[in-house]
Amino acid sequence: MENLIGLLVLAPLLGAGILLTGGRRLDRTGHWLGTLLSAVSFVIGAVLFFDMLGKSGEHRTMYSHLFSWVPVGGFQADIGFQLDQLSMTFVLLISGVGTLIHVYSIGYMEHDERRRRFFGYLNLFVAAMLLLVIADNYFLLYVGWEGVGLASYLLIGFWQHKPSAATAAKKAFLVNRVGDMGLSIAIMLMFTTFGTFTFQPVLAHAGDAGEGKLTAIGLMLLLAACGKSAQVPLQSWLGDAMEGPTPVSALIHAATMVTAGVYLITRSGAIFNGAPDAQVAVVTVGAVTLLFGAIVGCAKDDIKKALAGSTMSQIGYMIMAAGLGPIGYVFAIMHLVTHGFFKAGLFLGAGSVMHGMNDEVDMRKYGGLRKYMPVTFITFGLGYLAIIGFPGLSGFFSKDKIIEAAFAKGGTEGWILGGAALLGAAITAFYMTRVMLMTFFGEKRWVPDADGHEPHPHESPKSMTIPMVVLAFGSVFAGGLFSLNSSFLKWLEPVTGHAEGNSPISATTVTGGTMVVLLLGVGLAWLVYGRRPVPATAPRGSLLTRAARRDLLQDDLNHVVLVRGGEHLTRSLVYLDHSLVDGAVNGTAAAVGGLSGRMRKLQNGYVRSYAVSMLGGTAVLVAATLLMRAV
C-alpha cells in the first residue's frame, strides 16, 4: 500500500502537465481529464484510508521513501512521504472537495475559451496541496507550500485582462512571500538545532531543545501560517482574491490553501507544546482574526467578499484552537473538515447565484432569489445553518467544541478566549443571516446593467448543482458523524494527542450560551434586513461600518507601515550609501590621490633638489645625534 502514496500527487500533477503543455487539441476534453485525475487521487486516498482503518492506532502510519533529493554532507533532503491519520484527513478533504469543485467548474467555466488551462491550474493546485500534507519532512513540505502559492497566483489572476484580478494575484503572491520567509527561517533553525528537518526526529526530540530555540521556531512557523491562512497581520490578500473565478474561491478558501497554516501548526504540535510563549502568540492571532474577519463580513455587500471575511474568521477559530495545544488540536482539525464542506458549498452557491444574475456580486441587487433558484437556496441555506452553528448540523458540533476548549484553558486566559469565541459566534450569525436575507428573501431588486440587459435569474445546470448537493449533505451530517462515540477524537489522538482542560463552566452551559448568542445575531439581522426594505445603495453607516467596508483599514495600515515605511527605509539606505559608504570610498580615494600628488612633487628629476633633500636629511640626522649625546 505504501507504493500508492506517491500516486496521490502524481495523478493531478500528470494532469497539470498534460493540460498545460498539450495545446489546443485538448480544449474539448481537457476539463474531463483534469476532473478524472483529481478523482483518481480521491479513489487512491479512499483505498489507503480503508487499509489504514484495518490497523491499530499506533500502527497506522505509513512511510514511502522515493529517493535522496539533496545528499550533501550532513544536509540530507529526501523525497519521502508520511501518511498518518492527520495527513489522511487532509488527503480525503483535498481530493474529495477538490474533485467536486472540478465537476462544478465544468459548467461554471463552460464558455471560457481558456478552460483547459484553468483545469490545468486546478490540477496543479491539488497536486501541490497533497504534496504539502503527505511530505515526511519540512523541506519537502516547503516545496508543496510554494507550489500552492504559485497555483493560487495563477488562479486568482486567471482573468488577468482585468486589472483588479492581476493586482489581486500579485498582492496574494507578495503577502504570502512574507509568510514563506518565516517557514524558510524555521527550517534553517530546525536544521541547526536538530541536524535534520524530517518530522519524526524533529518532533521526537523537540523536548530536548531549549525553550528559546523552540519559541523562535514556533514564531517563524506562526508567521508562515499567518500568510497562507490569511491571519492578522497578513490577512489583506484574502478579500482581493475574490477576483478569481468562483471555483477558485471555493478551492482556496474552503478545503485547501487557507487550511495549510492550521495543518502546519498542528503537525508541529510538539514544538509549540515546548514553547508556551509561541502558543500564546498563536491563540492571540486566532482570537483577534476570528473577530476581525467577522466584523469585516458584516459590512460587505459583495457576496463573495462577505464569505471571504467569514473564511478569515473561521480559520481564526481553528488557529486559536490549535494554539490551545493538546486541548484543541483535534477540534481545530474537526472544524477544518466541517468548514471544508459548508464553506465550499457556500462559495459554490454564491457562484450559482452569480451565474443566474449575469455575474452580479452586489447583494443589494438580489432579493427574492429563492423562488427562481430553489436548489441553490436549499443547499446554500444548509451551509448557512451549518456555519452559524444551528443544532444538529456540522458547525454546531465542531465550533462548540472549540468554544468549550477555549474556556477549558482555564484562568483569565480561558475567559478571554471563550468570550471572544462566543462574540465571534454572535457576529457570524448576524452577517450570515444578512447574506441570506439580502440574497434570497424580500422583493427583487435587480436592475438592468449599463448595456440595458436585465438579469433573468435561473437555476444552474446539474454539473453545478450536484456538487452543491453533495457538499450540503456533508454540511448537515459530517459533524454528527465525527462526534458519534468521539470517533474523530479517537482517530486523531494517536497523532495530535489530546488533553482535557479545566473548564470553569460545563459543556451544557457553553452550548446554551452559544444558542443564546446565535439567536441574538439572527434576530438582530432580521430586525435590520428582514423587516425593512434593503436600500439600493449602502447607507453611510457608523465609523466602524465605514472602517469595516475598507477591511478595517488593513490596506491603509499596510500602506503606511510597509509601503511608506519601505520608501523611507529605502531613501535612508540610499542616503547612507551615498554619504557613508560612497563617502568613505571616495574620501579614501581623494586622500590617497591628494597625498600622491603632493609626494609626486618630491620626485621632480632635478639633481639639485635631490642634493638639497640629502643635505637637509643629513642636517636632521646630525642634529638628532648631537641632541642625543647632550641628553
Side-chain angles (χ1 to χ4, degrees), residues 51-84:
D51 178 71
M52 188 177 286
L53 285 179
K55 304 174 182 177
S56 59
E58 62 273 13
H59 297 105
R60 284 175 170 168
T61 302
M62 293 182 280
Y63 297 96
S64 176
H65 180 269
L66 296 186
F67 58 89
S68 294
W69 178 23
V70 188
V72 180
F75 186 91
Q76 183 73 27
D78 297 332
I79 301 295
F81 305 125
Q82 174 180 316
L83 192 65
D84 55 20

Side-chain angles (χ1 to χ4, degrees), residues 9-306:
V9 177
L10 181 61
L13 187 61
L14 178 64
I18 294 174
L19 293 176
L20 296 176
T21 62
R24 293 192 173 276
R25 65 178 66 89
L26 294 173
D27 282 354
R28 293 187 178 183
T29 58
H31 50 287
W32 294 110
L33 177 64
T35 304
L36 174 64
L37 290 173
S38 179
V40 166
S41 280
F42 177 71
V43 172
I44 295 172
V47 170
L48 291 168
F49 171 69
F50 286 110
D51 178 71
M52 188 177 286
L53 285 179
K55 304 174 182 177
S56 59
E58 62 273 13
H59 297 105
R60 284 175 170 168
T61 302
M62 293 182 280
Y63 297 96
S64 176
H65 180 269
L66 296 186
F67 58 89
S68 294
W69 178 23
V70 188
V72 180
F75 186 91
Q76 183 73 27
D78 297 332
I79 301 295
F81 305 125
Q82 174 180 316
L83 192 65
D84 55 20
Q85 293 92 315
L86 178 61
S87 51
M88 175 57 76
T89 301
F90 277 83
V91 165
L92 293 177
L93 182 66
I94 295 163
S95 60
V97 175
T99 299
L100 291 174
I101 293 171
H102 275 72
V103 174
Y104 178 93
S105 300
I106 293 173
Y108 190 88
M109 301 295 290
E110 181 179 6
H111 301 294
D112 196 297
E113 61 181 13
R114 299 172 66 237
R115 181 168 62 169
R116 169 185 55 81
R117 183 176 294 274
F118 180 78
F119 275 82
Y121 292 159
L122 287 183
N123 272 195
L124 178 62
F125 194 106
V126 171
M129 192 66 198
L130 287 171
L131 177 63
L132 189 158
V133 299
I134 67 173
D136 73 347
N137 62 83
Y138 285 95
F139 200 73
L140 187 58
L141 179 150
Y142 186 79
V143 176
W145 192 272
E146 291 300 313
V148 169
L150 170 62
S152 71
Y153 168 78
L154 296 172
L155 287 167
I156 294 170
F158 183 74
W159 289 327
Q160 72 267 23
H161 59 276
K162 296 165 45 179
S164 57
T167 301
K170 182 170 64 175
K171 183 176 183 180
F173 190 84
L174 292 175
V175 172
N176 272 273
R177 296 293 73 74
V178 177
D180 294 351
M181 284 297 297
L183 181 56
S184 63
I185 293 172
I187 294 172
M188 296 176 196
L189 290 174
M190 287 176 196
F191 187 77
T192 57
T193 302
F194 304 104
T196 180
F197 33 69
T198 301
F199 291 152
Q200 194 172 19
V202 168
L203 301 179
H205 296 94
D208 299 333
E211 183 178 321
K213 291 182 178 179
L214 292 180
T215 299
I217 295 173
L219 291 176
M220 290 299 100
L221 292 175
L222 174 60
L223 179 61
C226 287
K228 275 291 183 288
S229 295
Q231 299 292 284
V232 172
L234 300 180
Q235 79 286 4
S236 62
W237 66 270
L238 193 64
D240 293 322
M242 297 298 103
E243 292 294 336
T246 297
V248 173
S249 303
L251 189 65
I252 290 177
H253 300 86
T256 53
M257 180 170 171
V258 293
T259 63
V262 183
Y263 170 79
L264 181 65
I265 293 175
T266 305
R267 173 63 74 187
S268 309
I271 293 173
F272 286 95
N273 293 341
D277 291 340
Q279 279 190 327
V280 171
V282 173
V283 294
T284 302
V285 166
V288 170
T289 307
L290 77 86
L291 295 175
F292 186 102
I295 293 171
V296 168
C298 291
K300 295 295 184 182
D301 293 331
D302 184 321
I303 187 171
K304 289 174 64 178
K305 290 192 175 183

Side-chain angles (χ1 to χ4, degrees), residues 13 166 201 208 344 386 390 537 584 620:
L13 187 61
D208 299 333
F390 189 83
T537 57
V620 170

